[in-house]
Amino acid sequence: MRASLFFAHNCFTLLALSTNLMNIRHYLFNGHRKLSLLILFLFITYCAAGQGRTEITLTDNWKFEKDKHEGAGAKEFNDRSWSTVTVPHDWAISGPFDKEIDKQMVAITQNGETTPSEKTGRTGALPYTGEGWYRKTFNLPAVKKGQETLLVFDGAMSEAKVYLNGTFVGQWNYGYNSFWLDVSKYALPGETNTLAVQLSNRPLSSRWYPGAGLYRNVHVLVKDAQNIEQWGVSVTTPIVNAQFSKVNIKTKVNGSNLRLVTQILDKQGKELSSQSAQQAFGNEFDQNISVANPQLWSPESPYLYTAVSRVYEGDVLKDELKTRFGIRELNYQANKGFSLNGKVRKFKGVCLHHDLGPLGAAINVAALRRQLTILKDMGCDAIRSSHNMPSPEQLELCDEMGFMFLAESFDEWAKPKVENGYHLYFDKDAEKDVVNLVRANRNHPSIVMWSAGNEVPDQWGAEGVKRAKWLQDLFHREDPTRPVTVGMDQVKAVMESGFGALLDVPGLNYRVHLYEEANTKFPQGFILGSETASTVSSRGIYKFPVVMAKDKQYDDLQSSSYDMEACSWSNLPDDDFVMQDDKPWVIGEFVWTGFDYLGEPTPYDEKWPSRSSYFGICDLAGIPKDRYYLYRSRWNKDKPTLHILPHWNWEGREGQTTPVFVYTSYDSAELFLNGKSLGKRKKDKSTPQNRYRLMWNDVKYEPGTLKVVALDAEGKPVAEEKVTTAGKPYKIVLEADTKQLAADGKDISFVTVSVVDKEGRPCPTATAQLNFKVSGKGKFKAVCNGDATSLESFEKPTMKLFSGKLVVLVQSAKEAGQINLEVKGTSLKSGKMQLSTK
Ligand code: GAL
């Protein structure tokens, strides 16, 4: 949980100021030198006078260089020729895409393969392998004798070796985990410190794009020697009812003769109660505080409280930390399933890989918020961080926006999936990785379950059963309040071995045909669809004839958006819906995946160019595919859904069968083509597709307008939707997710670009090459069109439309003002938009 103190914030502002001045100090004459020293002095005095901690997030002015650099961990090292970057930073996302990068000769056994074959693009065909160095100088306040200095990494990809002022201070192998290092002995208070981090990514170390480098935030924490331990606060709510909640707060401290005062604040910051404790047990305070008439946290009402922990020695404040938490009750029960705050519900979840499409793995709050906003509108209420530890930013957003979270840890245990995967570290590191995952994140109310692993090959054999037990016990030791699952694909094996029976929550990946049997064999009395569907499609691409198919491939390396294609092990969304709707003991699903991600281009693992997934409900640019509306039609209970597919621009298909599907929350509808009725359809249970989609399979194409009219139970029209054949592309149209940005150098506006004809009708097949120009207080950050086969760079201001659309990312500068975006294309009327930052 993030400590965000007003005091620390002020210190940081001053520190940033003095850091900047210190940096330019060398280049200026003596008069300025005096000024900067004065500011530094004021800053130090200010910090020393206050009590508490200072947190500095090291963002700007890092020096970065790819490849080996002898001696780059030293305090003095000539890094002037290195590039200057901002962290979070992903060194690989700039590309270029290259078929040869991390080419893998493997049999993907999870996919049922037995003979190795050449896999290209499995990890995104981006240059993530090799070594990279980051160096950064920063100033530290000189507070007091014995002051504690910690370095906190939210994640570093991977095998991070950390040097402070030339001394090696620690290493962390797993790239997805947070870790901290106590560097008090090596830090130079009141002086310029040099941090150097070496990262190495081995080839054949992942099944998807992992990103590379310092892709999450790096912080420096300076505290008094008497303090609250890092991740030392644990807030739980053991009793929850309408009248009151018992809030239990355990606080680990460093130091003796300390007094702890914990205050609970409501959402507005108003104090609800405060309790002082004198007596620590060992180094831990244990407090129970009652909150009357609690506002319970749920996806629909994500109410957050704050616990403010203050540690005093006598009357002197030594440390202060704010922890956000929620009051909510989780229950997983045989024959009842999952309930939140006493109400039985099923997870309407999606799995998400950690990359953010064109931004790569580099964490960005605006991009994460946009993903969650899109998913919220779909009616999604849960996220699974597949297959690794989430970022703090993602969890904070889930707390605030209302998403339940299944926080996963590993894709491999001791047995390998890829040659250089996590199995290399499992024996040595797994315990400390679990410890950090839990301690760093346990106060997030969004987390409702831990996952100890995904489809680990250890599902086979007695050793694996022991490992599952060992890991689950570790999670329980660290957090007795949440259950543990594993995403299992070897369902027959885990039924036999006892692996599935020992888990708190048996999670099945796919294999709906085995749900019944598993539920009778497993003792828990419920099953979670920990991974479902893996239907493949490309946004706006439709293939004929429309047939249900497995592992279907086409010459253009795309998959059909009629949502009838899956893989040998996977299925269509409708098959999961049947289980969710008909089996009370199925507690929900996590669809593979909410968004397309870099790497794993199944069904084209062996084809080039193809470098990102087809599994997403939304494409890599975040644009919803048709499938989005299928999920929305059953998940979003607040707003109706009425969506027609395909588009209606089929020149050359005149007179040919062109099925029309409607994804809708309504039960029945009538379809019209150019005013002529093509009949009514009503959902029925004859097949899974007839139950969840309205389908007109024998429509003969003619240009014009397709109109669907939704009908209520009495057959009366209640809503309608149209698609019309478009003429020639004429004009570029821009639509931003937000026009108002924070002037913080990080915020992003996602501008969807499309083209329309002279009458303003969207052109769904347009492929024009467009160019982007951004001026004013912002910059062009990236662009993505969602085409898994595109080798165009995400970072160059030009790209082709894919199925008539793409998304441009415009990033704010640190100064307030206007930003202008202009999009141009040959023979097209340009698109212009003004954004502003403040
Ligand atoms: C699952 C696996 C995921 C992904 C998916 C594709 O078996 O857990 O990581 O590979 O298949 O369908």
Side-chain angles (χ1 to χ4, degrees):
M1 181 100 0
R2 184 62 41 80
S4 55
L5 302 179
F6 174 69
F7 166 77
H9 181 77
N10 286 340
C11 265
F12 173 52
T13 314
L14 263 175
L15 183 71
L17 189 63
S18 67
T19 305
N20 287 341
L21 284 164
M22 292 292 282
N23 285 344
I24 58 171
R25 187 183 67 170
H26 304 288
Y27 309 101
L28 295 176
F29 50 86
N30 264 342
H32 284 85
R33 184 185 173 131
K34 276 183 198 141
L35 175 67
S36 64
L37 284 175
L38 175 68
I39 288 180
L40 183 67
F41 171 76
L42 285 175
F43 165 73
I44 291 165
T45 321
Y46 179 65
C47 286
Q51 294 90 4
R53 52 176 70 191
T54 305
E55 178 177 345
I56 309 162
T57 300
L58 301 176
T59 309
D60 296 336
N61 294 320
W62 284 81
K63 300 302 275 183
F64 166 74
E65 180 78 340
K66 185 84 196 294
D67 300 325
K68 285 195 196 308
H69 281 280
E70 218 48 63
K75 182 162 168 57
E76 302 303 331
F77 181 84
N78 185 352
D79 57 18
R80 253 165 286 163
S81 62
W82 292 13
S83 42
T84 304
V85 300
T86 300
V87 167
H89 176 248
D90 178 350
W91 84 54
I93 193 63
S94 313
F97 292 107
D98 182 344
K99 179 180 186 226
E100 298 305 314
I101 296 176
D102 206 24
K103 197 161 76 181
Q104 307 191 356
M105 262 313 275
V106 284
I108 306 179
T109 49
Q110 304 88 53
N111 297 3
E113 294 177 5
T114 48
T115 34
S117 59
E118 186 180 287
K119 306 290 188 310
T120 50
R122 196 179 186 203
T123 48
L126 289 164
Y128 83 99
T129 57
E131 278 189 14
W133 275 96
Y134 291 82
R135 286 175 55 84
K136 160 96 190 143
T137 54
F138 60 97
N139 295 329
L140 272 181
V143 183
K144 288 205 183 96
K145 258 206 358 231
Q147 113 186 346
E148 190 176 282
T149 306
L150 306 184
L151 290 173
V152 185
F153 292 80
D154 293 343
M157 191 65 70
S158 62
E159 295 185 2
K161 294 193 182 72
V162 184
Y163 300 81
L164 186 67
N165 299 322
T167 306
F168 172 73
V169 290
Q171 171 160 359
W172 201 274
N173 294 320
Y174 197 29
Y176 291 101
N177 213 347
S178 323
F179 63 97
W180 58 273
L181 303 166
D182 183 344
V183 295
S184 309
K185 271 199 260 170
Y186 316 101
L188 300 172
E191 292 182 33
T192 301
N193 288 255
T194 304
L195 174 63
V197 188
Q198 181 188 16
L199 284 321
S200 343
N201 294 320
R202 302 171 194 236
L204 304 171
S205 57
S206 187
R207 296 193 299 118
W208 59 84
Y209 176 69
L214 294 179
Y215 74 109
R216 290 184 182 170
N217 276 304
V218 181
H219 318 269
V220 185
L221 264 181
V222 180
K223 308 195 252 182
D224 191 284
Q226 315 256 64
N227 62 37
I228 299 166
E229 238 186 37
Q230 177 66 0
W231 302 333
V233 173
S234 154
V235 185
T236 57
T237 53
I239 300 179
V240 177
N241 59 45
Q243 290 73 42
F244 74 95
S245 168
K246 171 175 161 178
V247 180
N248 178 264
I249 305 179
K250 296 187 173 36
T251 310
K252 288 204 164 126
V253 293
N254 291 314
S256 49
N257 297 324
L258 295 175
R259 181 167 58 93
L260 171 72
V261 178
T262 302
Q263 200 189 13
I264 293 190
L265 310 179
D266 69 7
K267 204 172 184 168
Q268 283 73 40
K270 196 174 118 242
E271 180 182 302
L272 299 178
S273 52
S274 172
Q275 200 181 88
S276 173
Q278 211 80 46
Q279 176 73 59
F281 303 94
N283 71 334
E284 186 175 272
F285 287 96
D286 195 329
Q287 296 172 298
N288 289 303
I289 304 180
S290 161
V291 171
N293 308 317
Q295 304 258 8
L296 305 190
W297 185 95
S298 70
E300 295 72 32
S301 167
Y303 193 94
L304 296 172
Y305 293 89
T306 301
V308 186
S309 315
R310 293 193 178 91
V311 166
Y312 295 88
E313 188 184 34
D315 286 334
V316 182
L317 178 65
K318 292 290 176 174
D319 197 7
E320 178 178 315
L321 179 69
K322 282 184 182 165
T323 305
R324 269 197 332 189
F325 69 98
I327 297 178
R328 49 87 178 129
E329 186 185 40
L330 308 174
N331 237 306
Y332 296 81
Q333 261 175 294
N335 306 319
K336 199 161 168 209
F338 166 65
S339 51
L340 178 70
N341 302 328
K343 284 197 201 103
V344 174
R345 58 191 293 158
K346 296 191 181 212
F347 295 107
K348 300 184 282 188
V350 297
C351 301
L352 292 182
H353 263 312
H354 71 314
D355 77 65
L356 295 167
L359 297 173
I363 205 75
N364 178 279
V365 173
L368 287 167
R369 187 180 291 114
R370 171 178 179 249
Q371 282 197 336
L372 293 177
T373 304
I374 292 167
L375 292 174
K376 196 79 178 174
D377 180 60
M378 190 170 74
C380 169
D381 66 8
I383 308 288
R384 170 184 181 227
S385 60
S386 40
H387 304 291
N388 32 62
M389 286 93 175
S391 64
E393 290 84 354
Q394 189 182 30
L395 291 170
E396 278 164 19
L397 286 168
C398 286
D399 291 347
E400 287 164 19
M401 295 173 72
F403 285 88
M404 296 179 284
F405 207 94
L406 167 41
E408 197 150 80
S409 43
F410 307 117
D411 193 49
E412 274 185 25
W413 294 349
K415 290 190 182 173
K417 284 184 186 174
V418 282
E419 204 172 304
N420 293 316
Y422 188 75
H423 68 274
L424 296 181
Y425 318 117
F426 182 82
D427 286 336
K428 203 161 60 69
D429 290 354
E431 177 167 356
K432 63 180 195 178
D433 276 323
V434 169
V435 166
N436 279 21
L437 166 65
V438 176
R439 292 192 191 165
N441 301 310
R442 60 188 160 187
N443 296 321
H444 290 284
S446 52
I447 299 182
V448 295
M449 204 189 301
W450 303 108
S451 165
N454 173 64
E455 298 187 355
V456 289
D458 312 56
Q459 286 166 103
W460 299 97
E463 283 303 310
V465 181
K466 281 194 215 151
R467 265 173 221 132
K469 169 93 173 61
W470 175 71
L471 282 164
Q472 180 165 275
D473 288 349
L474 272 180
F475 275 101
H476 289 167
R477 184 191 79 195
E478 292 299 316
D479 176 9
T481 71
R482 292 178 178 93
V484 179
T485 190
V486 170
M488 300 178 290
D489 63 331
Q490 301 305 321
V491 182
K492 290 275 184 196
V494 297
M495 284 197 271
E496 294 313 313
S497 65
F499 186 114
L502 71 85
L503 300 172
D504 299 329
V505 176
L508 260 55
N509 286 7
Y510 313 101
R511 295 154 182 94
V512 273
H513 59 285
L514 293 174
Y515 274 31
E516 289 275 3
E517 190 184 344
N519 191 44
T520 51
K521 293 243 166 88
F522 292 151
Q524 293 89 341
F526 54 84
I527 298 271
L528 170 68
S530 41
E531 202 172 303
T532 62
S534 268
T535 300
V536 286
S537 65
S538 307
R539 177 181 53 79
I541 303 288
Y542 304 89
K543 302 292 187 185
F544 303 97
V546 176
V547 277
M548 215 181 269
K550 293 279 173 107
D551 300 325
K552 181 83 184 150
Q553 298 195 10
Y554 301 93
D555 290 346
D556 61 357
L557 310 191
Q558 303 292 354
S559 295
S560 177
S561 220
Y562 274 102
D563 299 323
M564 297 291 255
E565 295 168 8
C567 309
S568 62
W569 62 91
S570 66
N571 53 266
L572 303 183
D574 323 66
D575 302 324
D576 297 309
F577 298 164
V578 171
M579 299 311 286
Q580 300 296 326
D581 285 348
D582 293 353
K583 312 291 172 191
W585 41 267
V586 179
I587 65 169
E589 64 168 319
F590 287 86
V591 181
W592 192 263
T593 47
F595 291 84
D596 275 331
Y597 50 93
L598 291 161
E600 207 178 37
T602 313
Y604 301 107
D605 302 296
E606 293 163 12
K607 297 279 165 65
W608 183 258
S610 175
R611 45 61 172 168
S612 54
S613 78
Y614 299 78
F615 294 117
I617 292 173
C618 301
D619 71 14
L620 196 72
I623 306 174
K625 300 179 187 172
D626 291 300
R627 223 155 1 116
Y628 177 89
Y629 300 95
L630 185 56
Y631 286 98
R632 191 183 191 276
S633 69
R634 55 183 267 110
W635 282 359
N636 187 333
K637 302 285 179 213
D638 300 329
K639 293 187 213 144
T641 298
L642 186 60
H643 174 79
I644 310 180
L645 63 136
H647 63 70
W648 214 240
N649 263 63
W650 295 108
E651 209 183 325
R653 283 193 66 74
E654 287 77 4
Q656 293 184 52
T657 303
T658 308
V660 174
F661 290 4
V662 170
Y663 296 161
T664 178
S665 48
Y666 298 103
D667 231 27
S668 61
E670 184 167 4
L671 186 71
F672 298 87
L673 176 54
N674 293 328
K676 190 170 148 268
S677 172
L678 300 181
K680 293 179 185 170
R681 295 286 182 276
K682 189 170 167 46
K683 292 176 189 167
D684 67 55
K685 289 192 175 175
S686 56
T687 66
Q689 280 66 41
N690 284 335
R691 189 168 168 183
Y692 298 104
R693 315 177 187 198
L694 299 175
M695 299 183 292
W696 287 259
N697 286 321
D698 47 8
V699 179
K700 302 279 181 277
Y701 176 69
E702 63 183 58
T705 298
L706 261 185
K707 180 172 86 173
V708 66
V709 178
L711 306 170
D712 68 8
E714 280 81 51
K716 289 207 197 77
V718 278
E720 66 174 56
E721 198 57 49
K722 284 180 193 160
V723 253
T724 301
T725 309
K728 281 210 172 61
Y730 170 72
K731 188 173 120 190
I732 297 169
V733 178
L734 312 183
E735 197 189 330
D737 71 333
T738 177
K739 287 188 167 182
Q740 182 67 61
L741 299 177
D744 60 1
K746 296 177 193 165
D747 207 0
I748 292 178
S749 175
F750 292 82
V751 183
T752 302
V753 179
S754 55
V755 289
V756 294
D757 68 7
K758 264 205 158 128
E759 272 69 53
R761 293 175 295 220
C763 303
T765 55
T767 54
Q769 185 82 38
L770 302 182
N771 298 303
F772 321 106
K773 207 173 132 202
V774 178
S775 58
K777 305 293 181 198
K779 64 171 187 189
F780 165 84
K781 175 70 181 168
V783 55
C784 183
N785 62 11
D787 177 1
T789 70
S790 165
L791 299 181
E792 288 183 284
S793 164
F794 296 128
E795 296 188 348
K796 297 217 172 96
T798 177
M799 189 170 273
K800 266 190 172 154
L801 290 165
F802 176 63
S803 296
K805 288 186 180 168
L806 56 76
V807 175
V808 179
L809 284 67
V810 178
Q811 188 161 51
S812 64
K814 285 190 180 169
E815 306 94 59
Q818 299 294 324
I819 308 176
N820 299 305
L821 165 66
E822 188 174 5
V823 182
K824 287 184 171 175
T826 313
S827 315
L828 290 168
K829 221 170 147 205
S830 308
K832 285 187 186 156
M833 179 173 271
Q834 204 169 65
L835 308 167
S836 63
T837 69
K838 64 173 182 201

